[in-house]
Amino acid sequence: MRENRHKHTVWMDDDVWDQVESHYQRDNCTTKNEFIEKAIRFYSGYLNTESADAYLPRVLADVLEGKLGVLGKRMGHLLFKLSVDQNLMGNILAADIEIDPDELRKARVRCVKEVKETNGEISFEDAIRYQKGAE
Protein backbone atom coordinates (compact mmCIF):
# COMPACT_ATOMS: atom_id res chain seq x y z
CA MET A 1 0.00 0.00 0.00
CA ARG A 2 1.20 3.54 -0.75
CA GLU A 3 2.21 5.82 2.16
CA ASN A 4 0.00 8.74 1.09
CA ARG A 5 -3.20 6.74 0.94
CA HIS A 6 -5.88 7.50 3.50
CA LYS A 7 -9.39 6.22 3.96
CA HIS A 8 -12.17 8.65 2.97
CA THR A 9 -15.89 8.23 3.23
CA VAL A 10 -17.77 9.20 0.10
CA TRP A 11 -21.52 9.16 -0.33
CA MET A 12 -22.96 8.37 -3.78
CA ASP A 13 -26.20 7.20 -5.33
CA ASP A 14 -26.71 3.47 -5.74
CA ASP A 15 -26.89 3.75 -9.53
CA VAL A 16 -23.46 5.44 -9.55
CA TRP A 17 -22.03 2.66 -7.38
CA ASP A 18 -23.60 0.11 -9.75
CA GLN A 19 -21.68 1.77 -12.59
CA VAL A 20 -18.44 1.46 -10.64
CA GLU A 21 -19.11 -2.22 -9.98
CA SER A 22 -19.97 -2.94 -13.60
CA HIS A 23 -17.09 -0.99 -15.17
CA TYR A 24 -14.00 -1.27 -12.99
CA GLN A 25 -12.87 -4.62 -14.39
CA ARG A 26 -13.51 -3.51 -17.98
CA ASP A 27 -10.97 -0.74 -17.35
CA ASN A 28 -8.40 -3.32 -16.17
CA CYS A 29 -8.60 -2.05 -12.59
CA THR A 30 -7.97 -4.58 -9.85
CA THR A 31 -10.07 -2.70 -7.29
CA LYS A 32 -13.02 -0.35 -7.29
CA ASN A 33 -10.87 2.19 -5.46
CA GLU A 34 -8.40 2.18 -8.35
CA PHE A 35 -11.25 2.77 -10.81
CA ILE A 36 -12.66 5.66 -8.76
CA GLU A 37 -9.21 7.22 -8.42
CA LYS A 38 -8.66 6.99 -12.19
CA ALA A 39 -12.10 8.46 -12.85
CA ILE A 40 -11.45 11.41 -10.54
CA ARG A 41 -8.03 12.08 -12.09
CA PHE A 42 -9.57 11.86 -15.57
CA TYR A 43 -12.36 14.28 -14.78
CA SER A 44 -10.04 16.64 -12.90
CA GLY A 45 -7.74 16.75 -15.92
CA TYR A 46 -10.75 17.56 -18.05
CA LEU A 47 -11.73 20.45 -15.77
CA ASN A 48 -8.26 21.91 -15.24
CA THR A 49 -7.43 24.15 -18.15
CA GLU A 50 -3.91 24.61 -16.82
CA SER A 51 -3.17 20.92 -17.20
CA ALA A 52 -5.22 20.42 -20.38
CA ASP A 53 -2.11 20.40 -22.56
CA ALA A 54 -0.61 17.68 -20.35
CA TYR A 55 -3.89 15.78 -20.10
CA LEU A 56 -5.40 15.93 -23.58
CA PRO A 57 -2.35 14.87 -25.59
CA ARG A 58 -2.01 11.69 -23.50
CA VAL A 59 -5.69 10.85 -23.94
CA LEU A 60 -5.63 11.67 -27.64
CA ALA A 61 -2.41 9.75 -28.11
CA ASP A 62 -3.93 6.67 -26.48
CA VAL A 63 -7.05 6.88 -28.65
CA LEU A 64 -5.10 7.53 -31.83
CA GLU A 65 -2.62 4.78 -31.07
CA GLY A 66 -5.46 2.29 -30.77
CA LYS A 67 -7.21 3.44 -33.94
CA LEU A 68 -3.99 3.66 -35.95
CA GLY A 69 -2.89 0.26 -34.68
CA VAL A 70 -6.06 -1.31 -36.07
CA LEU A 71 -5.64 0.57 -39.34
CA GLY A 72 -1.98 -0.44 -39.60
CA LYS A 73 -2.81 -4.09 -39.01
CA ARG A 74 -5.54 -3.98 -41.68
CA MET A 75 -3.23 -2.24 -44.16
CA GLY A 76 -0.54 -4.83 -43.46
CA HIS A 77 -2.95 -7.68 -44.26
CA LEU A 78 -4.09 -5.95 -47.47
CA LEU A 79 -0.51 -5.27 -48.57
CA PHE A 80 0.38 -8.91 -47.92
CA LYS A 81 -2.53 -10.11 -50.07
CA LEU A 82 -1.55 -7.65 -52.81
CA SER A 83 2.07 -8.83 -52.70
CA VAL A 84 1.00 -12.46 -53.03
CA ASP A 85 -1.11 -11.65 -56.10
CA GLN A 86 1.69 -9.56 -57.62
CA ASN A 87 4.17 -12.38 -57.04
CA LEU A 88 1.79 -14.85 -58.65
CA MET A 89 1.33 -12.63 -61.72
CA GLY A 90 5.08 -12.08 -61.95
CA ASN A 91 5.78 -15.80 -61.88
CA ILE A 92 3.11 -16.57 -64.48
CA LEU A 93 4.41 -13.79 -66.74
CA ALA A 94 8.07 -14.79 -66.30
CA ALA A 95 7.26 -18.38 -67.24
CA ASP A 96 5.88 -17.26 -70.61
CA ILE A 97 8.16 -14.45 -71.81
CA GLU A 98 11.81 -14.15 -72.67
CA ILE A 99 13.63 -11.00 -71.53
CA ASP A 100 17.34 -10.55 -70.99
CA PRO A 101 18.59 -9.23 -67.63
CA ASP A 102 19.75 -5.90 -69.13
CA GLU A 103 16.29 -5.15 -70.58
CA LEU A 104 14.73 -6.05 -67.24
CA ARG A 105 17.09 -3.69 -65.38
CA LYS A 106 16.31 -0.82 -67.78
CA ALA A 107 12.57 -1.45 -67.42
CA ARG A 108 12.87 -1.39 -63.64
CA VAL A 109 14.77 1.94 -63.72
CA ARG A 110 12.10 3.43 -66.02
CA CYS A 111 9.28 2.13 -63.81
CA VAL A 112 10.84 3.56 -60.65
CA LYS A 113 11.18 6.93 -62.40
CA GLU A 114 7.54 6.84 -63.60
CA VAL A 115 6.19 5.91 -60.17
CA LYS A 116 8.14 8.76 -58.54
CA GLU A 117 6.99 11.27 -61.17
CA THR A 118 3.32 10.27 -61.05
CA ASN A 119 3.20 9.53 -57.31
CA GLY A 120 2.20 5.96 -58.14
CA GLU A 121 -0.77 6.84 -60.34
CA ILE A 122 0.01 4.77 -63.41
CA SER A 123 -2.78 2.99 -65.20
CA PHE A 124 -2.61 -0.24 -67.16
CA GLU A 125 -3.67 1.76 -70.23
CA ASP A 126 -0.61 4.02 -69.80
CA ALA A 127 1.64 0.96 -69.72
CA ILE A 128 0.05 -0.45 -72.90
CA ARG A 129 0.47 2.89 -74.70
CA TYR A 130 4.14 2.96 -73.70
CA GLN A 131 4.73 -0.61 -74.85
CA LYS A 132 3.03 0.08 -78.19
CA GLY A 133 5.17 3.20 -78.65
CA ALA A 134 2.22 5.62 -78.57
CA GLU A 135 3.40 7.80 -75.68
Side-chain angles (χ1 to χ4, degrees):
M1 217 177 224
R2 292 188 233 162
E3 294 176 25
N4 295 335
R5 295 179 78 80
H6 301 282
K7 184 176 181 175
H8 301 278
T9 302
V10 178
W11 292 87
M12 64 181 75
D13 291 335
D14 288 340
D15 63 323
V16 173
W17 185 250
D18 291 343
Q19 289 179 30
V20 171
E21 288 184 327
S22 67
H23 289 94
Y24 83 98
Q25 290 178 323
R26 284 182 28 199
D27 193 38
N28 295 323
C29 294
T30 56
T31 65
K32 295 170 195 156
N33 284 336
E34 181 185 359
F35 178 79
I36 293 168
E37 186 176 332
K38 284 175 71 175
I40 291 170
R41 290 183 190 280
F42 179 86
Y43 190 65
S44 294
Y46 171 76
L47 292 176
N48 292 335
T49 56
E50 292 176 14
S51 65
D53 47 337
Y55 163 77
L56 288 176
R58 182 179 50 84
V59 171
L60 290 174
D62 290 347
V63 170
L64 288 174
E65 186 176 322
K67 298 287 184 188
L68 290 175
V70 170
L71 176 65
K73 190 173 184 178
R74 177 76 178 134
M75 292 299 292
H77 287 299
L78 292 173
L79 285 171
F80 178 79
K81 289 174 68 175
L82 183 63
S83 296
V84 169
D85 284 346
Q86 185 176 358
N87 189 14
L88 178 63
M89 286 192 311
N91 277 286
I92 291 170
L93 195 61
D96 198 40
I97 64 168
E98 293 179 21
I99 187 169
D100 67 76
D102 191 47
E103 284 181 64
L104 181 62
R105 185 186 57 73
K106 287 178 184 175
R108 178 175 302 279
V109 168
R110 181 183 48 76
C111 289
V112 168
K113 182 180 174 225
E114 284 179 3
V115 168
K116 284 181 180 178
E117 288 174 357
T118 63
N119 209 17
E121 294 186 26
I122 297 174
S123 68
F124 189 66
E125 290 81 8
D126 293 339
I128 291 174
R129 277 195 292 278
Y130 176 82
Q131 294 300 322
K132 300 289 183 185
E135 274 190 90

